[in-house]
């Protein structure tokens, strides 16, 4: 007999309060890792919760960090994000910020070191870190957020906080609080995720010199062959003709372009070529499909690289990312919605709390293509885009801030997310210290502290002489 029951009523029960803190950061990825340190730097009681067994988020899946440098070659993201890179460098776990004609800059990091250094820095800052805990709901009085409900092996518990920072990447806290959220383009299509994997035994010098010396054979997208002649750590984007040949020979490849990045270890290459269209990163069934399909795609991608791309002849599989890399899910609707025009016009805002320069980088929701547009310099990220409409005591940082689908493709990379995290953490701290709501915070005070602590912001003189909203 068919079971037609679609819902059940969960019995009401009293939940224990696990903690009562000044600032609660939800999510320990690039933005949350920095936000918690910023919030705790003068002694406030700060807690960070993370659903996985480690912190670092997308910094742990084999991707380089993009966006520390601007399109004019100057460093535009400094402060606490740079201090994190400096700590990694002490352990030979990070490269310099390497200029890149396509991505503005690459900063190679060792994923396992990110997990360790991130946790060390949080604990040194006095942050209480709670791993293996999901945000399962919120505690709200009218439009004021008072705390969240967590779910773990201990069951359901409550964490109360004076200010909460949503660094989940998926706007989980904001969504559960009733903040209006959008997802995808006008048709609901989102940028497809990628399951990263690594190969060892690659002759990276052979690959580099093949492209440098035979650019007509090994054509790359937007990256001149001189780049490969000068850099022994690099990214390759292109080689479309080789992919076409492999596809004609019967290999099933999900993307039009070869995308591989050298690792920090000799002979190591990280591969950014799986593409799983239609994955909803907020749905566990869809995510499960994405993980399985990503793993399936790796077989032919590895075969393609070994048989068609110079330097991969003796390559072998070494490891896979711990989770599929999600480019896009929910975005909040905040006090200001950043647009593609803001990015392309190098917009300046009087409440700017971070500067970014990464281009509009849209991986098409269908097919394996990608569209890039550059602004020629850098653009501001306004504080208002971190503040939701209608819900108080909540700040959002990372890729799920208030933007359009197109603008999100520019601000989503890790260096800008880290800069937003520092701004959100310092804003939360100032709001608690001054006993004001984050939405009522004097942004000039926040900007002043960011600059004093080493962050990079465009000058107010530039703002005042430019068109801004």
């Amino acid at each position: 007999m068919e079971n037609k029951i679609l819902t059940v009523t969960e019995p009401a029960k009293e939940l224990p309060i696990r903690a009562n803190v000044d600032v609660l950061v939800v999510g320990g990825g690039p933005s949350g890792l920095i936000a918690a340190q910023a919030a705790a730097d003068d002694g406030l009681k700060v807690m960070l919760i993370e659903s996985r067994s480690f912190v670092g988020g997308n910094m742990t899946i084999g991707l380089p960090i993009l966006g520390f440098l601007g399109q004019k070659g100057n460093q535009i993201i400094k402060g606490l994000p740079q201090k994190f890179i400096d700590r990694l460098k002490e352990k030979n776990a990070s490269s310099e910020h390497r200029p890149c004609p396509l991505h503005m800059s690459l900063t190679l990091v060792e994923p396992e070191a990110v997990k360790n250094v991130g946790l060390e820095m949080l604990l040194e800052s006095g942050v209480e870190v709670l791993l293996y805990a999901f945000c399962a709901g919120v505690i709200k009085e009218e439009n004021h957020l008072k705390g969240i409900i967590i779910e773990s092996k201990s069951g359901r518990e409550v964490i109360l906080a004076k200010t909460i920072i949503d660094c989940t990447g998926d706007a989980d806290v904001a969504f559960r609080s009733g903040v209006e959220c959008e997802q995808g383009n006008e048709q609901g299509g989102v940028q497809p995720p990628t399951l990263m994997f690594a190969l060892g035994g690659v002759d990276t010098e052979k690959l580099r010199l093949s492209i440098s010396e035979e650019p007509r054979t090994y054509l790359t997208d937007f990256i001149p062959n001189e780049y490969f002649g000068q850099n022994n750590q690099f990214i390759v984007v292109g080689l479309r003709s080789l992919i076409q040949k492999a596809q004609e020979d019967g290999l099933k490849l999900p993307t039009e372009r070869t995308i591989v990045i050298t690792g920090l270890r000799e002979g190591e290459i990280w591969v950014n070529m799986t593409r799983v269209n239609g994955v909803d990163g907020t749905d566990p069934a869809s995510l499960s499909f994405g993980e399985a399909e990503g793993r399936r795609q790796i077989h032919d991608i590895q075969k393609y690289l070994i048989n068609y791309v110079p330097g991969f002849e003796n390559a072998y599989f070494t490891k896979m990312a711990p989770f599929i890399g999600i480019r896009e899910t929910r975005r909040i609707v905040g006090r200001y919605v950043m647009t593609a025009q803001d990015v392309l016009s190098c917009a300046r805002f009087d409440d700017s709390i971070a500067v970014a320069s990464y281009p509009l980088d849209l991986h098409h929701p269908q097919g394996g293509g990608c569209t890039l547009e550059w602004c020629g310099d850098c653009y501001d990220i306004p504080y208002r885009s971190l503040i939701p409409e209608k819900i108080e005591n909540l700040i959002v940082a990372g890729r799920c801030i208030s933007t359009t689908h197109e603008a999100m493709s520019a601000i989503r990379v890790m260096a800008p997310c880290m800069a937003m995290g520092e701004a959100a953490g310092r804003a939360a701290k100032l709001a608690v210290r001054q006993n004001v709501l984050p939405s009522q915070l004097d942004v000039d005070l926040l900007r002043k502290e960011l600059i004093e602590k080493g962050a990079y912001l465009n000058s107010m003189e530039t703002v005042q002489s430019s068109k801004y909203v």
Side-chain angles (χ1 to χ4, degrees):
M1 184 175 178
E2 184 180 358
N3 187 347
K4 295 185 178 180
I5 297 175
L6 299 179
T7 63
V8 297
T9 299
E10 184 177 12
K13 62 178 181 179
E14 292 185 348
L15 300 180
I17 296 175
R18 172 175 279 270
N20 193 335
V21 299
D22 293 310
V23 178
L24 173 64
V25 179
V26 184
S31 60
L33 182 65
I34 302 299
Q37 293 176 60
D41 82 346
D42 73 348
L44 284 182
K45 189 174 183 180
V46 177
M47 182 180 231
L48 179 145
I49 72 162
E50 166 57 50
S51 61
R52 298 186 174 95
S53 64
F54 54 87
V55 296
N58 280 347
M59 285 191 285
T60 70
I61 67 173
L63 289 167
I65 300 176
L66 306 180
F68 267 97
L69 303 184
Q71 291 175 37
K72 292 188 174 181
N74 57 318
Q75 185 168 344
I76 56 169
I77 291 174
K78 300 181 180 180
L80 287 179
Q82 181 59 49
K83 288 185 178 180
F84 182 70
I85 297 300
D86 291 341
R87 280 287 289 270
L88 289 173
K89 283 182 182 176
E90 291 174 6
K91 300 180 181 295
N92 296 317
S94 174
S95 71
E96 302 295 324
H97 304 310
R98 302 182 181 279
C100 175
L102 189 60
H103 301 98
M104 305 313 98
S105 68
L106 304 173
T107 308
L108 308 178
V109 294
E110 174 55 45
E112 294 304 317
V114 165
K115 298 175 185 178
N116 293 334
V117 170
L119 188 56
E120 286 172 8
M121 294 185 75
L122 286 167
L123 296 177
E124 288 169 9
S125 299
V127 176
E128 182 179 353
V129 179
L130 185 66
L131 304 174
Y132 299 104
F134 280 88
C135 172
V138 299
I139 306 297
K140 188 174 67 167
E141 293 180 6
E142 297 181 347
N143 66 336
H144 281 60
L145 199 59
K146 298 294 184 180
I148 69 166
I149 300 169
I150 63 169
E151 185 86 44
S152 71
K153 287 187 180 292
S154 295
R156 292 166 75 85
E157 299 172 295
V158 172
I159 301 173
L160 300 176
K162 295 174 183 174
T163 302
I164 298 171
I165 308 176
D166 185 342
C167 294
T168 61
D170 304 315
D172 288 340
V173 180
F175 178 74
R176 285 166 173 76
S177 302
V179 174
E180 182 182 355
C181 294
E182 297 176 343
Q183 189 162 334
N185 59 19
E186 292 178 354
Q187 291 75 42
V190 298
Q191 298 189 70
T194 290
L195 182 61
M196 299 284 292
F197 67 99
L199 299 176
V202 180
D203 187 342
T204 57
E205 281 297 284
K206 181 176 181 180
L207 173 62
R208 177 175 77 89
L209 295 175
S210 295
I211 297 170
S212 174
E213 296 169 2
E214 301 178 65
R216 291 187 179 181
T217 303
Y218 304 110
L219 185 64
T220 57
D221 290 12
F222 301 104
I223 303 178
N225 65 307
E226 292 84 1
Y227 165 82
F228 297 96
Q230 299 165 359
N231 294 277
N232 56 16
Q233 290 179 322
F234 53 86
I235 185 169
V236 175
V237 180
L239 313 187
R240 294 171 183 256
S241 62
L242 300 186
I243 284 189
Q244 290 172 358
K245 177 68 167 61
Q247 289 172 329
E248 291 167 1
D249 292 345
L251 289 183
K252 294 181 179 179
L253 302 173
T255 180
E256 301 171 352
R257 308 176 300 164
T258 307
I259 308 179
V260 296
I261 309 110
T262 54
L264 288 174
R265 296 172 179 160
E266 184 176 353
E268 182 180 71
I269 285 280
W270 284 93
V271 183
N272 181 352
M273 290 180 64
T274 65
R275 293 292 183 277
V276 189
N277 292 328
V279 171
D280 180 352
T282 65
D283 175 19
S286 189
L287 280 169
S288 299
F289 163 75
E291 293 279 356
E293 175 61 16
R295 290 169 185 263
R296 187 195 66 77
Q297 292 177 4
I298 286 173
H299 178 269
D300 274 11
I301 293 170
Q302 183 175 342
K303 195 172 180 181
Y304 155 70
L305 292 169
I306 290 172
N307 293 322
Y308 293 84
V309 180
F312 284 85
E313 293 83 359
N314 299 311
Y316 53 88
F317 182 89
T318 59
K319 53 192 166 185
M320 191 179 301
F323 57 89
I324 195 166
I326 300 296
R327 290 185 172 88
E328 177 179 13
T329 54
R330 305 183 190 104
R331 311 179 309 274
I332 69 162
V333 176
R335 307 292 170 105
Y336 181 79
V337 180
M338 278 191 72
T339 67
Q341 184 58 32
D342 290 331
V343 173
L344 295 176
S345 66
C346 299
R348 301 286 184 262
F349 297 94
D350 56 354
D351 64 337
S352 167
I353 45 76
V355 177
S357 189
Y358 194 73
L360 299 177
D361 180 5
L362 276 166
H363 294 252
H364 299 163
Q366 298 298 325
C370 182
T371 303
L372 291 109
E373 293 183 80
W374 295 264
C375 68
D377 195 355
C378 59
Y379 47 89
D380 289 346
I381 297 175
Y383 180 65
R384 286 165 293 161
S385 292
L386 279 61
I387 303 300
E389 288 276 19
K390 299 177 183 177
I391 298 297
E392 300 288 1
N393 298 347
L394 178 63
I395 306 173
V396 178
R399 69 170 183 244
C400 54
I401 67 166
S402 180
T403 67
T404 62
H405 167 71
E406 292 79 15
M408 193 281 303
S409 74
I411 60 90
R412 66 183 171 84
V413 296
M414 288 186 276
C417 287
M418 295 168 83
M420 285 184 259
E422 178 165 9
R426 297 197 183 284
K429 180 189 68 176
L430 288 170
V432 171
R433 288 296 187 201
Q434 297 180 8
N435 195 29
V436 299
L437 296 170
S439 63
Q440 298 170 347
L441 183 67
D442 183 344
V443 183
D444 286 344
L445 292 177
L446 172 58
R447 285 173 53 87
K448 182 175 182 289
E449 174 163 326
L450 284 166
I451 292 169
E452 288 175 349
K453 296 293 186 177
Y456 177 93
L457 295 177
N458 286 308
S459 68
M460 289 302 293
E461 289 76 13
T462 304
V463 172
Q464 290 164 357
S465 63
S466 304
K467 182 180 180 181
Y468 64 93
V469 179

